[in-house]
Amino acid sequence: YKKGHQPYVTHPVGYIRQQKDGRVLIKVSDDEWMTYQLYVWLAGGGKKPHENQFARLKPKYCGLHYSKWQKKHIELVTHSENLERNTINRFPPELISAIRVLSRLKREIENE
């Protein structure tokens, strides 16, 4: 590109995009993107998280559209806390076996 010109696909600072995996990112500078949860947390006056922490939505607000997120909907959790919340072992044994059977059935259907 000529000096001073940018490609037409360049997005302005403040542009919000949603990735295929569902994560929402916001452009905070010309070459830096940040998760929108962290941006809302910091904009609401929250402290910057430690190395082993990250911002995530509280479980009861997971269905809320990102345009309505506020600091009260977001929490800081450690990676180990997040793992405990998302593991299959948090369910009762009967439900764990049912989940595993259903997963095997889905795998067999997909492979046929």
Side-chain angles (χ1 to χ4, degrees):
Y1 299 100
K2 291 183 180 180
K3 201 173 193 177
H5 290 82
Q6 293 182 338
Y8 71 95
V9 292
T10 303
H11 299 295
V13 173
Y15 180 80
I16 299 172
R17 73 176 181 200
Q18 191 166 8
Q19 294 185 315
K20 290 181 182 178
D21 63 359
R23 293 188 316 152
V24 181
L25 301 174
I26 185 167
K27 188 171 185 176
V28 292
S29 69
D30 284 336
D31 57 350
E32 185 181 359
W33 293 81
M34 161 187 305
T35 61
Y36 194 61
Q37 292 99 320
L38 180 58
Y39 175 78
V40 171
W41 176 262
L42 295 173
K47 293 181 181 180
K48 188 174 180 180
H50 296 293
E51 242 179 66
N52 67 339
Q53 290 181 323
F54 64 96
R56 69 172 257 173
L57 279 174
K58 292 179 180 175
K60 64 181 179 179
Y61 298 113
C62 284
L64 191 63
H65 191 265
Y66 69 84
S67 63
K68 296 185 170 128
W69 291 351
Q70 297 175 2
K71 185 180 180 247
K72 65 182 179 182
H73 302 140
I74 298 171
E75 62 185 346
L76 290 180
V77 295
T78 63
H79 291 284
S80 59
E81 288 173 338
N82 190 52
L83 179 66
E84 287 176 17
R85 291 183 188 182
N86 292 327
T87 184
I88 193 171
N89 295 326
R90 65 189 166 123
F91 298 117
E94 307 84 33
L95 190 55
I96 291 173
S97 63
I99 291 171
R100 288 186 174 144
V101 168
L102 183 61
S103 296
R104 278 190 225 114
L105 179 63
K106 285 181 181 179
R107 232 177 296 139
E108 285 183 26
I109 291 171
E110 288 175 0
N111 291 334
E112 289 183 4

